[in-house]
């Protein structure tokens, strides 16, 4: 529940109290009105009024009686998990994925559509996916949560730039709102992944957490004091575009030598293509009919087979990422950093290269106290994080399990 501003209006106070009550019931599974009043420090009258309203909305149900503390045994309340469903969408992959999600964060139905297009046509595919998901549930819908690549304005629901999808200044939030008549929340895929890992995954319960997503693009999601930190322009965590080599490869952002040009899947494949010819002994030359056609998949395959060139390329990429993470360690001093995304398939040796570079590029004490590890939510992280964003903003629920 977001803190109340100092001069709250009557309506703000009412909403705030309602969120406190709902969160108390949500967090405790089953709880009596008296216990809710004790936990929230609201009066019993206020709690009873709010509960009556939640019962009417169907968000809460009376589910039996608890042990008596002397007098009458109290009626227990519980959140109705399927009272509302929501739509969680992940636009950050080679396919658009989405799910119908319940109030506990369970994926009730999942769907995916291969991403065939860019620009206006990709937008049509988003509509198609959401249409198909809405058709899968008969429950009232709370809203739509979206994790998307690129730089966006979360408050206004605008995608300022998503290069992969060919979107620029796209008001995706209002377009979806107008079409589906539902609240829509969107955030960058790395940012919602951080939220998901903090609520459901390897960073569960951490107050401060950094999750770095390393795939086609590279970005970090930052949770500070339990809240997603997006920065003044929502761009906090764009570490993929820290330039580390002014004479380096051109980046899709327009600059040269960004971390992304060295540490992303595309960069790794490009580097393997560039070096394979000069290393005829490398397995890379036998995995593709032409070294110019090598993809990240062949590099991973050669790496798994112990090919030294593939290993060299992967570890170089790990070190470049480690440099960027060292800056995060120095600025934020978060004790836990999780790595997610397709490049993490290079596993432990790659992780060790990342960690060694973090140690080399930051204060020894800070680096020692920092635990860098893999996240553990896999393919559903963005959907779960987008759903969590919606639940937090719409109901004040933290989804803490
Ligand atoms: Zn860049």
């Amino acid at each position: 529940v977001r803190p109340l501003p100092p001069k709250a209006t009557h309506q703000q106070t009412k909403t705030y109290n309602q969120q406190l009550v709902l969160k108390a019931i949500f967090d405790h599974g089953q709880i009596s009105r008296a216990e809710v009043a004790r936990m929230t420090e609201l009066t019993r009258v206020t709690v009873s009024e709010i509960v009556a309203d939640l019962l009417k909305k169907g968000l809460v149900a009376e589910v039996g009686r608890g042990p008596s503390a002397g007098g009458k045994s109290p009626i227990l309340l519980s959140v109705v998990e399927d009272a509302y469903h929501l739509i969680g969408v992940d636009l950050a992959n080679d396919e658009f994925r989405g799910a119908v999600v319940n109030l506990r964060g369970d994926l009730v139905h999942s769907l995916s559509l291969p991403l065939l297009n860019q620009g206006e046509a990709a937008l049509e595919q988003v509509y198609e996916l959401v249409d198909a998901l809405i058709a899968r549930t008969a429950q009232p819908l709370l809203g739509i949560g979206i994790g998307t690549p690129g730089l966006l304005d979360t408050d206004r629901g605008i995608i300022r730039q998503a290069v992969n999808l060919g979107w620029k200044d796209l008001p995706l939030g209002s377009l979806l709102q107008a079409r589906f008549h539902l609240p829509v929340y969107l955030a960058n895929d790395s940012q919602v992944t951080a939220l998901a890992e903090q609520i459901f995954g390897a960073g569960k319960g951490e107050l401060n957490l950094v999750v770095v997503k390393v795939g086609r693009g590279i970005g970090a999601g930052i949770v500070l004091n339990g809240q997603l930190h997006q920065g003044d322009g929502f761009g906090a965590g764009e570490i993929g575009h820290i330039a580390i080599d002014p004479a380096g490869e051109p980046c899709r952002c327009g600059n040269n030598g960004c971390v992304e040009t060295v540490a992303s899947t595309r960069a790794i494949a490009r580097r393997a293509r560039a070096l394979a010819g000069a290393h005829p002994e490398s397995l890379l030359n036998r995995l593709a009919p032409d070294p110019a056609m090598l993809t990240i998949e062949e590099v991973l395959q050669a790496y798994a087979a112990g090919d030294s060139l593939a290993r060299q390329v992967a570890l170089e990429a790990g070190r470049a990422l480690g440099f960027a993470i060292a800056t995060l360690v120095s600025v934020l001093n978060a004790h836990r950093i999780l790595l997610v995304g397709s490049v993490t398939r290079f596993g432990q040796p790659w992780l060790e290269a990342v960690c060694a570079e973090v140690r080399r590029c930051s204060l020894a004490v800070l680096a020692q106290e920092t635990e860098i590890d893999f996240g553990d939510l896999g393919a559903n992280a963005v959907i779960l994080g987008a759903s969590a964003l919606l639940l937090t903003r719409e109901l004040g629920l933290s989804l803490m399990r």
Side-chain angles (χ1 to χ4, degrees):
V1 178
R2 289 184 149 191
L4 205 55
K7 283 183 184 166
T9 62
H10 176 66
Q11 186 54 45
Q12 280 173 322
T13 310
K14 209 174 141 189
T15 305
Y16 176 77
N17 289 344
Q18 188 173 49
Q19 292 190 345
L20 277 184
V21 169
L22 186 60
K23 182 168 163 36
I25 302 170
F26 191 83
D27 288 348
H28 282 77
Q30 299 194 346
I31 189 170
S32 69
R33 288 174 177 78
E35 195 60 32
V36 171
R38 260 196 297 279
M39 287 191 45
T40 57
E41 298 179 348
L42 296 171
T43 66
R44 285 192 181 214
V45 175
T46 304
V47 169
S48 288
E49 276 172 18
I50 293 173
V51 168
D53 189 41
L54 292 172
L55 286 167
K56 210 168 77 188
K57 286 181 178 155
L59 264 169
V60 162
E62 294 180 334
V63 291
R65 286 184 178 274
S68 159
K72 226 170 69 176
S73 57
I75 296 170
L76 296 179
L77 304 163
S78 179
V79 166
V80 180
E81 310 184 344
D82 289 298
Y84 287 86
H85 282 165
L86 52 107
I87 306 295
V89 177
D90 173 3
L91 305 181
N93 279 302
D94 297 336
E95 52 177 18
F96 281 171
R97 302 179 66 242
V100 175
V101 181
N102 74 11
L103 295 179
R104 285 270 166 214
D106 300 322
L107 272 56
V108 184
H109 294 288
S110 300
L111 282 179
S112 62
L113 282 183
L115 174 58
L116 307 169
N117 303 296
Q118 281 205 330
E120 191 69 28
L123 178 63
E124 287 298 326
Q125 283 191 279
V126 177
Y127 293 154
E128 194 186 324
L129 180 65
V130 176
D131 277 335
L133 287 166
I134 289 177
R136 294 290 178 98
T137 173
Q139 296 311 105
L141 286 167
L142 194 66
I144 303 170
I146 296 189
T148 163
L151 195 58
L152 35 145
D153 179 334
T154 299
D155 283 353
R156 296 192 298 149
I158 293 174
I159 298 184
R160 292 165 66 187
Q161 192 176 21
V163 178
N164 289 338
L165 295 170
W167 289 342
K168 198 166 190 307
D169 297 323
L170 177 75
L172 185 62
S174 48
L175 287 171
L176 290 172
Q177 239 154 30
R179 188 180 166 104
F180 297 105
H181 308 289
L182 289 168
V184 179
Y185 292 91
L186 38 112
N188 170 284
D189 61 315
S190 302
Q191 294 176 348
V192 296
T193 300
L195 212 50
E197 289 286 352
Q198 194 238 0
I199 293 166
F200 303 108
K204 200 189 255 182
E206 298 281 351
L207 268 184
N208 298 323
L209 178 72
V210 177
V211 175
V212 182
K213 202 168 173 212
V214 205
R216 270 155 41 115
I218 296 175
I222 300 165
V223 174
L224 292 180
N225 292 319
Q227 305 278 332
L228 184 62
H229 175 78
Q230 294 182 291
D232 289 335
F234 309 95
E238 285 288 348
I239 61 166
H241 299 286
I242 296 175
I244 51 177
D245 178 6
E249 294 283 333
C251 181
R252 62 199 171 101
C253 73
N255 289 340
N256 281 75
C258 294
V259 171
E260 219 174 88
T261 66
V262 194
S264 64
T265 51
R266 277 185 285 215
I268 292 171
R270 188 180 51 223
R271 186 91 175 122
R273 287 194 291 269
L275 294 179
H279 294 79
E281 79 291 352
S282 169
L283 180 57
L284 286 168
N285 292 298
R286 296 196 292 284
L287 289 175
D290 173 357
M293 292 172 71
L294 282 170
T295 69
I296 189 72
E297 292 307 321
E298 283 84 45
V299 183
L300 276 158
Q301 213 181 324
Y303 177 89
D307 183 73
S308 64
L309 181 60
R311 187 181 166 92
Q312 178 198 323
V313 169
L315 300 194
E316 266 174 28
R319 282 193 289 275
L321 182 70
F323 174 80
I325 292 179
T327 63
L328 286 176
V329 167
S330 305
V331 173
L332 299 173
N333 186 213
H335 281 176
R336 196 147 165 79
I337 295 180
L338 298 174
L339 307 180
V340 302
S342 52
V343 177
T344 61
R345 288 159 73 199
F346 285 102
Q348 208 60 38
W350 172 83
L351 177 62
E352 278 159 25
V354 173
C355 294
E357 194 67 2
V358 170
R359 286 193 297 273
R360 199 181 70 80
C361 302
S362 49
L363 274 178
V365 180
L366 295 188
Q368 269 160 21
E369 291 170 350
T370 308
E371 195 187 348
I372 304 178
D373 209 342
F374 294 121
D376 64 2
L377 291 179
N380 291 331
V382 173
I383 289 176
L384 285 172
S387 305
L389 179 73
L390 175 79
L391 278 172
T392 317
R393 299 285 162 89
E394 216 34 42
L395 294 180
L397 296 181
S398 65
L399 266 190
M400 220 41 112
R401 297 201 193 201

